[in-house]
Amino acid sequence: MLFKKVGHCLVVGVISMLSLPVFSAVIEHELGSTQVPDSPQRIVVLEFSFVDALAAVNVAPVGLADDNKPERIVAAYRKIIGSDWISVGTRKTPSLELTASLKPDLIIADKKRHSAAYATLSEIAPTIVLDSLVGDYPAAVKQMSVIGNALGKEEEMEQRITEHKAKIAAYAETFKALSDGMYVQFATARASRLTLHSASSYNGSLLNAFGFSSKLNPTDGDARANFYVPTTLEQLSELNPEVLILGNYADVTIIDQWKNEALYQNLSAVKAGKVFHVDAHSWSRLRGMVAAESTAEDLSAIMKKISAKK
Amino acid sequence: MSTVYSQRRALSVGLILSLCIVLVFIGSLSAGAVAISWQVIINTLFDLEGEQQTYIILNSRLPRSLLALLVGGCLAISGTIIQGLLRNPLASPKIIGINAGAALAVCLMTLLLPDLPMTYLPLAAVLGGTLAALIVYLGSHWRESSMTRLVLIGIAVGFVCEAGIDYILISSPPYQFSTPLVWLTGSLWSRGWSHLAMSWHLLIGLLISALILSYRLDLIRLGAVHAKGLGVNVGFERFLLLAIATLLASISVSVVGVLGFVGLMAPHIARSLVGGSHRTLIPIAILVGMLLVVLADACGRAIAPPIEISAGILTALFGGPFFIYILLKMGSTES
Amino acid sequence: MPKSSLYLLLSGLFVLAVLASLSSGGRSDVGLNELFGVFNGSNSALANTVMIDIRLPRTVCAALIGICLGLSGLILQAVTRNPLASPSILGINQGAALGLVATLVFPQAAAIGVGFLSVTGAIVAGGLTFIIAGGLQGKLNSLRLILGGITVGAFAYAFARFALTLDDDVASAVLQWSAGNVGDVRWPDAQLLIGWSVLGMVITLLLSHRFNLLALGDSSAQGLGADPRVTLLIGTLLAAVLAGVCVSIAGPIAFVGIVIPHVCRYLFGLDYRVLVGAVSLTGATLMVIGDALSKWMGGPSEMPIGVVVALIGAPYFLYQTFMEKDLG
């Protein structure tokens, strides 16, 4: 019996040594450094920006955290990664069991959400932890290189980044004639709250990359509330953006309540008919190169409307 | 409460409870997002030939369920001691401010030291919970001490902590508090051998010392005069027991988050089963606590996979009405 | 200090708070000058809009909520003869809040009316607490009243807090909602509150003699022709309605109902006929101060008034429990 077992172990061991990819690349990440296989095949990602990074270099994950709402993986991603991935639950508490059952060889996790589970995740597969939720657009692009390295697709990713930067620059160029320095404000609207995305947020810095400006530049003072600023109608009227881009998170929002008020109707953007609606999810929850390019397309449509008005 | 039950009854109740725990524990091994057949579970547990699911069974469900047992037992004995010493059936670790204090400390840590790894969360929780309990004890002894005072000051300390928590949560972006929010709802998500390894010596050590000391609870409860005659140093033993109970609850909460109502429910259920003598009450309460938490964790995994419902939410949903039931029952026996 | 000078002092404080609240807000170009400009006509249309359409109703609402919640607490403390009773301690606020959140989760429910659901939630929660405390036997146990109320409140909140494990967005919406906020109230809300607070003051004034008798004890009240059970029923219903209306407009705001009557008893004595006016003035003052602070705190955005008031009220409540001599 015992011999049988030992023999079994030996056989399994030899097979696994042959079949397992050789561990080579060492990836530096937020919680240290992790050895990852040469070109991982079965990848589980736990934030949307990591899906974006995979899609950028045509890699499909086997599992991802979609908050159990498959529609959160938008068409732009499905075009590339298909629909064969398995949902491992919410981004906040992804199911570790499901993750393990997918037998991944690389897990990409988020610093703010999954640090406490890093040890457990590392037991399942080599895990790298990146700060997906914090930081602006340039930081999000920088993260792409790290993921490129981890996927063993360093060159492909660098090439994609260069391509992406050129694309964004080209968009900025076409916007320039109309938009130079125009103050464009992106905000998300809920039933009882309007949240402005400041210049230091992902969306704000992305708008800057397109050549737009922002009057909402919270400096060091209160670092915590820097990115997303809940606002009142009065504060909005003081900022008075030239273009207001709204992403609705509810069917009936606070804007519907404000619509009939003099102060709202007095906003430059409202008076000039420059209030536009976009998909809140793909603008502000998703982040990365694919997402930024779809944002660029939305903006391009908006700019066309604006130039038609002139 | 004063019904006298025989030792034999306690023994049979204990055996039945243990059987329930074994059954629920086994059930807990099969509950989760990935369906695993019993054959595979047995293969994995006993390392038999055939298909195995090593990670899910041995590294995820087994340590989680063991941790649930341990924490459940600790919260239950903590609650029993606190109720016994304070002679107040409504007291619990939550009432003396441990949960709110721990929660505030966790939020403060995340706010003030955002770069500190989340692995330090338990340390902050122990400090906060103990500090809050200390304030409540001192406050209730500051003037003429009565049980009502203690309960009310506990509630007030809880309010102060919650006001602070609300302030911190509202003035911060949501992602900053992703991990603390999960912790605030009391979840065993991602708990594994490492958490067990970190806390079990301490918890088992405290649990045993509490067990050894707790048979004196009946003597202490007789009142200072009688107890002194029987050779009990009332003041010191009271202090020691309260300290142990506070630590047990704080450490438990620090490992799994705010798991409310277990420390309150377990002693009550146990008392209705075997009566109020602490010699039998305490072991039975421990078993009840174990059963409650393992059950809550297993249900939370089984209800809506792959989403996990925090064990703390389930214990609160059961515990709230249970508490109201106790209050109503107290009302009818008093009048 | 004689009472007349106390009133004078409080009124002065109230006026200062109103000035502070009205002269601050989102637009930095609308301040004290523009406030006076409303009267002498020197304002731009914009400044007038900001002053009259946005800031004035907000300050008015804050003051009226202070009156309603203060009276609600005063009534509850009178009928339960318990100095710690108040809408938030007895679970009434949270019950109303649960009615409010029902409309967030099930949009169909909004057809019934947010106000109606909040008031219903408040009455149900208050009733449950009184039953737990032994209200059906006609004899309230003060400790059970407090513990029952806290539990009813915690249970109502547990349902709402469930959302914290879900999406970040839902979680922050629930947090925001559960904090109590007057940032987006307008004149229609203020009109509703004016009606209720006037009604509340009148009824409380009419009841104040009964409250005074009740303070003497059940038997003396009965002997003097005031059935304590009737007082209890009317008082609790009124308190629940007042709190429910406030919650439906601004969300749950805790501690006003407990702190204000306590401070007023200390300053103005125990006569409820005097206390009705005193509580109204002090409650309004506290809330307007809270409103002004909420505009200054919180960096680029505002801090919800519920959080500001809790940061003042919770420590005071702790102090109160430390100092209280006979707690049952």
Side-chain angles (χ1 to χ4, degrees):
Chain A
M1 184 70 193
L2 184 68
F3 281 111
K4 205 171 152 193
K5 209 166 166 181
V6 170
H8 179 79
C9 285
L10 271 176
V11 171
V12 169
V14 169
I15 291 173
S16 59
M17 273 171 70
L18 288 175
S19 65
L20 266 183
V22 189
F23 285 83
S24 61
V26 174
I27 303 296
E28 303 283 332
H29 58 88
E30 294 280 350
L31 298 183
S33 56
T34 301
Q35 274 211 324
V36 303
D38 226 0
S39 66
Q41 299 300 317
R42 301 183 61 80
I43 304 155
V44 173
V45 291
L46 303 180
E47 248 304 332
F48 294 134
S49 75
F50 308 145
V51 179
D52 191 291
L54 263 58
V57 289
N58 295 308
V59 175
V62 289
L64 53 81
D66 62 357
D67 298 337
N68 228 25
K69 290 174 183 142
E71 71 274 12
R72 291 204 164 174
I73 303 304
V74 296
Y77 294 148
R78 282 176 192 262
K79 254 193 308 202
I80 306 169
I81 65 167
S83 301
D84 287 339
W85 37 267
I86 301 225
S87 165
V88 297
T90 60
R91 291 172 293 155
K92 200 171 255 179
T93 55
S95 166
L96 301 174
E97 292 188 357
L98 269 176
T99 306
S101 73
L102 295 171
K103 304 211 171 4
D105 50 11
L106 175 66
I107 298 172
I108 310 180
D110 174 64
K111 185 188 178 192
K112 283 280 179 289
R113 294 189 197 272
H114 312 117
S115 282
Y118 177 58
T120 323
L121 287 168
S122 298
E123 283 175 24
I124 301 174
T127 302
I128 62 172
V129 177
L130 300 171
D131 203 344
S132 161
L133 293 166
V134 185
D136 51 9
Y137 161 69
V141 174
K142 237 177 245 159
Q143 252 174 40
M144 298 289 153
S145 316
V146 181
I147 298 177
N149 291 350
L151 297 175
K153 300 202 165 197
E154 211 167 342
E155 283 169 28
E156 217 180 321
M157 184 65 93
E158 289 314 317
Q159 203 182 332
R160 181 69 176 80
I161 293 176
T162 319
E163 218 174 274
H164 169 76
K165 283 184 175 159
K167 244 185 204 174
I168 299 296
Y171 272 112
E173 195 59 39
T174 61
F175 297 159
K176 209 171 183 178
L178 270 168
S179 72
D180 210 17
M182 182 192 265
Y183 172 24
V184 177
Q185 179 64 57
F186 173 68
T188 49
R190 293 191 176 76
S192 59
R193 189 159 54 126
L194 189 75
T195 308
L196 305 180
H197 291 227
S198 79
S200 48
S201 72
Y202 168 80
N203 281 108
S205 56
L206 182 55
L207 287 170
N208 284 350
F210 287 119
F212 302 112
S213 71
S214 173
K215 270 199 259 171
L216 192 59
N217 298 302
T219 41
D220 42 324
D222 194 355
R224 285 170 292 128
N226 255 354
F227 299 141
Y228 311 120
V229 183
T231 192
T232 61
L233 180 52
E234 215 184 312
Q235 287 167 325
L236 183 64
S237 87
E238 175 157 83
L239 289 167
N240 199 17
E242 287 168 76
V243 177
L244 182 61
I245 301 180
L246 293 172
N248 283 4
Y249 273 125
D251 295 334
V252 180
T253 67
I254 184 106
I255 295 290
D256 296 293
Q257 196 182 315
W258 289 353
K259 237 177 357 205
N260 304 318
E261 292 188 41
L263 204 55
Y264 181 78
Q265 288 161 352
N266 217 24
L267 292 174
S268 303
V270 177
K271 275 198 287 199
K274 291 178 185 168
V275 179
F276 301 96
H277 289 270
V278 295
D279 178 41
H281 171 68
S282 70
W283 269 60
S284 87
R285 257 195 223 119
L286 308 179
R287 31 173 71 207
M289 296 193 290
V290 179
E293 285 163 19
S294 105
T295 302
E297 279 168 34
D298 287 352
L299 271 174
S300 173
I302 289 173
M303 294 312 288
K304 269 192 196 125
K305 279 185 202 160
I306 292 179
S307 70
K309 275 194 181 120
K310 275 203 168 168
Chain B
M1 201 188 288
S2 54
T3 327
V4 177
Y5 293 102
S6 67
Q7 296 268 343
R8 255 177 71 187
R9 182 186 160 101
L11 200 65
S12 47
V13 167
L15 278 175
I16 294 169
L17 276 174
S18 308
L19 195 67
C20 290
I21 290 174
V22 170
L23 287 177
V24 173
F25 190 86
I26 294 172
S28 164
L29 290 180
S30 78
V34 178
I36 299 176
S37 72
W38 288 109
Q39 185 60 46
V40 176
I41 293 177
I42 292 167
N43 285 349
T44 316
L45 281 180
F46 302 102
D47 200 11
L48 302 177
E49 279 177 58
E51 196 198 338
Q52 296 192 355
Q53 281 281 14
T54 320
Y55 175 80
I56 295 180
I57 302 295
L58 295 184
N59 287 9
S60 172
R61 292 183 190 171
L62 187 64
R64 255 181 94 147
S65 306
L66 286 174
L67 192 63
L69 282 183
L70 183 61
V71 167
C74 290
L75 286 173
I77 194 172
S78 169
T80 318
I81 292 173
I82 290 171
Q83 286 183 5
L85 278 181
L86 305 183
R87 289 186 225 185
N88 189 331
L90 300 174
S92 71
K94 178 188 155 83
I95 284 284
I96 58 172
I98 290 176
N99 292 1
L104 178 62
V106 163
C107 289
L108 272 177
M109 183 198 106
T110 316
L111 175 77
L112 300 177
L113 306 162
D115 294 325
L116 208 63
M118 285 297 161
T119 34
Y120 281 92
L121 224 137
L123 186 68
V126 172
L127 285 177
T130 319
L131 195 65
L134 205 63
I135 293 174
V136 175
Y137 292 143
L138 291 181
S140 69
H141 280 275
W142 182 50
R143 284 190 166 186
E144 83 271 41
S145 93
S146 78
M147 286 314 128
T148 316
R149 270 189 79 82
L150 183 117
V151 171
L152 288 174
I153 289 175
I155 289 170
V157 167
F159 277 150
V160 174
C161 293
E162 269 161 31
I165 294 169
D166 273 355
Y167 172 75
I168 293 172
L169 288 183
I170 280 172
S171 58
S172 313
Y175 56 77
Q176 181 87 34
F177 282 88
S178 185
T179 304
L181 279 183
V182 174
W183 185 88
L184 280 179
T185 58
S187 171
L188 280 108
W189 177 75
S190 93
R191 301 297 184 271
W193 289 114
S194 56
H195 299 92
L196 211 51
M198 183 174 73
S199 56
W200 75 272
H201 331 71
L202 214 54
L203 285 177
I204 297 272
L206 286 167
L207 195 72
I208 291 173
S209 21
L211 265 174
I212 294 171
L213 280 170
S214 61
Y215 78 96
R216 322 268 289 204
L217 263 175
D218 290 323
L219 299 183
I220 297 173
R221 277 162 62 92
L222 281 177
V225 184
H226 291 88
K228 221 167 228 160
L230 292 163
V232 181
N233 183 348
V234 179
F236 179 68
E237 298 211 353
R238 259 182 76 101
F239 168 78
L240 203 61
L241 269 169
L242 267 182
I244 290 175
T246 306
L247 275 177
L248 272 170
S250 307
I251 296 171
S252 303
V253 166
S254 79
V255 180
V256 300
V258 178
L259 207 56
F261 289 105
V262 176
L264 177 88
M265 283 193 284
H268 277 278
I269 296 174
R271 214 172 282 128
S272 70
L273 290 172
V274 297
S277 158
H278 282 84
R279 194 185 290 272
T280 49
L281 177 65
I282 289 216
I284 297 297
I286 292 177
L287 291 177
V288 173
M290 288 174 157
L291 189 61
L292 285 176
V293 179
V294 176
L295 197 62
D297 181 44
C299 287
R301 270 180 289 151
I303 290 174
I307 289 174
E308 291 192 5
I309 298 173
S310 299
I313 287 178
L314 292 177
T315 55
L317 287 184
F318 285 113
F322 186 88
F323 189 65
I324 291 173
Y325 161 77
I326 299 170
L327 284 168
L328 287 173
K329 209 177 78 174
M330 278 175 59
S332 60
T333 52
E334 267 172 32
S335 51
Chain C
M1 204 187 292
K3 273 185 196 142
S4 56
S5 49
L6 257 179
Y7 279 118
L8 212 61
L9 198 72
L10 268 174
S11 309
L13 201 60
F14 177 69
V15 171
L16 279 181
V18 167
L19 289 181
S21 164
L22 284 177
S23 62
S24 54
R27 285 196 76 97
S28 47
D29 58 347
V30 180
L32 213 50
N33 271 332
E34 283 69 23
L35 174 58
F36 297 119
V38 171
F39 301 103
N40 59 29
S42 65
N43 268 355
S44 64
L46 178 89
N48 261 344
T49 306
V50 169
M51 249 334 148
I52 295 171
D53 293 347
I54 309 261
R55 290 195 191 166
L56 200 56
R58 174 177 173 161
T59 306
V60 168
C61 276
L64 293 175
I65 288 171
I67 293 175
C68 287
L69 289 177
L71 286 179
S72 178
L74 182 73
I75 297 166
L76 288 171
Q77 293 177 12
V79 297
T80 61
R81 275 175 282 180
N82 187 324
L84 297 179
S86 75
S88 53
I89 305 278
L90 299 190
I92 292 172
N93 258 350
Q94 294 89 332
L98 190 61
L100 183 76
V101 88
T103 61
L104 292 181
V105 182
F106 310 105
Q108 308 92 295
I112 308 171
V114 174
F116 179 77
L117 279 173
S118 301
V119 171
T120 312
I123 293 175
V124 170
L128 192 59
T129 302
F130 277 99
I131 292 174
I132 292 170
L136 291 182
Q137 287 97 18
K139 205 170 155 59
L140 293 176
N141 174 309
S142 60
L143 181 62
R144 280 220 309 275
L145 184 75
I146 305 291
L147 283 171
I150 300 258
T151 311
V152 169
F155 191 60
Y157 254 35
F159 275 104
R161 293 249 161 179
F162 177 62
L164 292 189
T165 49
L166 303 175
D167 249 11
D168 282 349
D169 307 303
V170 184
S172 73
V174 167
L175 273 175
Q176 202 72 27
W177 149 83
S178 63
N181 194 350
V182 289
D184 278 303
V185 295
R186 298 289 189 268
W187 278 115
D189 305 307
Q191 281 160 5
L192 186 72
L193 276 172
I194 290 172
W196 279 109
S197 50
V198 169
L199 195 70
M201 275 198 274
V202 170
I203 301 182
T204 318
L205 211 53
L206 291 176
L207 286 173
S208 57
H209 178 60
R210 278 172 169 264
F211 292 161
N212 281 340
L213 292 181
L214 208 55
L216 299 172
D218 273 344
S219 48
S220 3
Q222 203 111 40
L224 292 164
D227 188 343
R229 283 171 302 180
V230 177
T231 317
L232 179 71
L233 188 68
I234 300 175
T236 312
L237 269 178
L238 181 63
V241 171
L242 288 178
V245 169
C246 291
V247 171
S248 75
I249 286 168
I253 295 174
F255 299 108
V256 179
I258 188 161
V259 169
I260 295 301
H262 191 260
V263 171
C264 287
R265 260 197 302 273
Y266 177 73
L267 292 177
F268 293 91
L270 299 173
D271 185 350
Y272 279 93
R273 283 168 301 185
V274 177
L275 281 173
V276 175
V279 161
S280 301
L281 180 60
T282 323
T285 308
L286 175 72
M287 279 294 285
V288 177
I289 292 176
D291 184 49
L293 284 177
S294 84
K295 291 175 178 174
W296 297 333
M297 285 165 70
S301 50
E302 292 180 355
M303 180 59 56
I305 190 169
V307 176
V308 177
V309 173
L311 286 177
I312 304 170
Y316 183 87
F317 179 64
L318 181 61
Y319 160 81
Q320 195 182 340
T321 49
F322 262 69
M323 303 309 278
E324 203 72 47
K325 276 195 195 100
D326 43 10
L327 288 169

